[in-house]
Amino acid sequence: VRLTDTTTAGWWAAPDAGNATELLRRGKTIPYSWYVDPGLFELELDAIFGKTWQYVGHSSRLAETGDFITCMVGRIPVMVTRDAKGALHGYVNVCPHRGHPVAMGAGRRTTIQCMYHGWTFGLDGVLRSAPRSDREPDFSGDGICLRPVLVDRWGPLIFVNPDLDAAPFADTLGGIPDLAHERGFDFDGLPYRAHRDFEIACNWKLAMDNNTECYHCATIHPGFRSDYHVDRDNYEVLRFEQSFSHFSPPRAERDTWSDFHLYYIWPNFMLSARGNDHYYTYSYVPTGPEQTLQMTEYFVPATVSEAELESQIEDLRLLMAEDWGVFERVQVGMRSGMLPFGNLLAQEERLLRQFQQLYVDAIAGHVEAPA
Ligand code: FES
Ligand SMILES: [Fe+2]
């Protein structure tokens, strides 16, 4: 089905960046069918998740030579390791022999050995040995190596990009590192403590839409709204081209508390902090058109006991569950096919519009133009 006017022609809208830009200009959202469409989901994995900076882990997990971590970046399995000179290397975690992951989980190795048939690579990604290949006159290992991905950081947070021609990560970060610094946020003293994965039955964009705005905080987050200002005059929003931030001071009754910080980085990463008390990272990994894996990491001072950490993780889970319930119910509404798109408040939801415009720009050129 191919429709040229998504505004009048029912719920189904084929991906058309021009029409979507026009919808956004008129204060509408992108079409709801785009939160359900399996074809568009596949396209996003290539056009967005195959070309943008994705969080993989904290550098403390790669402190020593040969330390490695693995992660999914959209549909791409990735590994990052540190060589003897201290340089970080990122690779597509797929063996050039027959496709098994060359590394699983996390750990420390002097070489990277694929468990399937034992092909072994240096930390530089170059094939060192392939068992029994010495008796194969036609086989040459020359030029066989792991496929690299770009690696960069924000402070201790390591990001990769599978697109070797991608612009530097600093372009995506924009003014975020300076802004966070000016506001007194500091990574130091906040070590990596825990990781949790949460499955949410919604499209990844729906989670990101929600995270752009605190319009819902007054209605959905009773605890948060009693601790922090969530009104427009006190809840500060700043945006850059591909990143933005939220900032809010605690309410007068909580004046000894730290400020709330939130930093968003296109397309699917967020960091939220309470001053320098702790910070959490969130990556929303698309696992299906209507399925998202939220990977959350917890950075909490070493002085906080394991029991206190667990209770902090549980408190955050309860807060996030307020959002997850919303996401899953909104997904049902979008899937109903009865409404073609949503209607935005231009000021209150301006970051949502920015996110959706970034999205439309990212898929433009990858989608079929309407006839
Ligand atoms: S797939 Fe890795 S050694 Fe065969
Ligand atoms: Fe929320």
Side-chain angles (χ1 to χ4, degrees):
V1 179
R2 194 193 275 169
L3 302 172
T4 53
D5 188 352
T6 52
T7 63
T8 57
W11 94 288
W12 181 262
D16 174 3
N19 281 351
T21 296
E22 174 60 14
L23 277 178
L24 292 174
R25 199 189 59 72
R26 291 173 38 212
K28 312 296 182 189
T29 66
I30 55 174
Y32 282 173
S33 58
W34 292 15
Y35 294 76
V36 181
D37 186 341
L40 190 57
F41 172 76
E42 293 296 321
L43 188 146
E44 289 169 354
L45 293 180
D46 295 331
I48 298 179
F49 293 89
K51 293 180 185 300
T52 52
W53 292 94
Q54 304 286 320
Y55 177 63
V56 291
H58 188 267
S59 59
S60 63
R61 301 177 64 204
L62 295 169
E64 304 291 333
T65 300
D67 281 352
F68 70 88
I69 55 176
T70 60
C71 190
M72 287 301 287
V73 167
R75 69 163 113 237
I76 307 170
V78 164
M79 72 168 294
V80 180
T81 186
R82 182 185 291 279
D83 71 17
K85 293 182 186 136
L88 294 177
H89 299 271
Y91 301 111
V92 173
N93 189 12
V94 177
C95 183
H97 176 222
R98 293 244 310 281
H100 195 275
V102 290
M104 303 211 308
R108 184 175 302 162
R109 301 285 299 269
T110 49
T111 55
I112 303 165
Q113 188 174 48
C114 177
M115 68 178 282
Y116 193 3
H117 311 91
W119 282 30
T120 302
F121 305 83
L123 299 178
D124 58 3
V126 175
L127 179 66
R128 291 278 176 75
S129 66
R132 305 186 202 173
S133 62
D134 51 333
R135 291 171 59 179
E136 298 280 333
D138 296 333
F139 177 83
S140 165
D142 292 352
I144 295 182
C145 57
L146 300 176
R147 180 175 171 148
V149 298
L150 299 180
V151 183
D152 209 337
R153 307 158 170 249
W154 172 23
L157 306 182
I158 299 169
F159 289 70
V160 298
N161 192 326
D163 177 7
L164 300 180
D165 298 323
F169 186 39
D171 291 12
T172 300
L173 281 169
I176 290 292
D178 288 346
L179 182 67
H181 183 71
E182 280 162 29
R183 285 174 171 167
F185 172 71
D186 195 341
F187 291 107
D188 291 349
L190 297 173
Y192 168 75
R193 294 289 299 274
H195 177 118
R196 297 283 187 280
D197 289 335
F198 303 100
E199 279 284 347
I200 322 168
C202 75
N203 183 274
W204 71 278
K205 298 190 287 298
L206 207 163
M208 302 321 299
D209 286 345
N210 174 80
N211 292 334
T212 63
E213 48 91 356
C214 203
Y215 186 24
H216 72 276
C217 295
T219 34
I220 292 299
H221 299 307
F224 186 74
R225 74 161 178 251
S226 62
D227 297 338
Y228 287 90
H229 292 285
V230 297
D231 61 294
R232 250 165 90 166
D233 296 330
N234 291 291
Y235 193 94
E236 186 189 310
V237 164
L238 269 173
R239 55 179 167 161
F240 304 97
E241 246 171 76
Q242 298 181 73
S243 60
F244 56 72
S245 102
H246 294 186
F247 181 77
S248 183
R251 298 174 70 93
E253 315 85 272
R254 308 262 190 264
D255 59 356
T256 56
W257 288 29
S258 302
D259 297 324
F260 171 74
H261 301 234
L262 185 147
Y263 302 103
Y264 162 86
I265 297 160
W266 163 258
N268 65 331
F269 178 81
M270 278 193 351
L271 180 158
S272 79
R274 301 291 168 98
N276 281 333
D277 301 348
H278 60 247
Y279 72 95
Y280 308 130
T281 60
Y282 311 78
S283 308
Y284 294 85
V285 181
T287 51
E290 300 185 73
Q291 202 66 38
T292 298
L293 185 76
Q294 181 184 313
M295 299 194 311
T296 304
E297 295 192 345
Y298 307 81
F299 301 84
V300 176
T303 50
V304 171
S305 70
E306 284 300 318
E308 287 171 277
L309 175 66
E310 281 309 318
S311 100
Q312 213 170 316
I313 289 172
E314 179 59 10
D315 288 348
L316 180 66
R317 192 188 65 78
L318 292 171
L319 173 72
M320 294 187 303
E322 293 168 353
D323 291 303
W324 298 332
V326 168
F327 301 170
E328 297 189 348
R329 294 188 293 272
V330 171
Q331 186 73 33
V332 171
M334 289 175 158
R335 191 197 302 130
S336 72
M338 292 285 105
L339 275 66
F341 42 69
N343 296 281
L344 298 174
L345 299 189
Q347 282 309 308
E348 193 71 51
E349 295 170 300
R350 61 191 187 281
L351 292 184
L352 193 157
R353 180 153 81 163
Q354 180 180 0
F355 166 71
Q356 295 203 345
Q357 189 64 59
L358 283 169
Y359 172 81
V360 169
D361 294 346
I363 61 161
H366 298 275
V367 295
E368 212 182 332

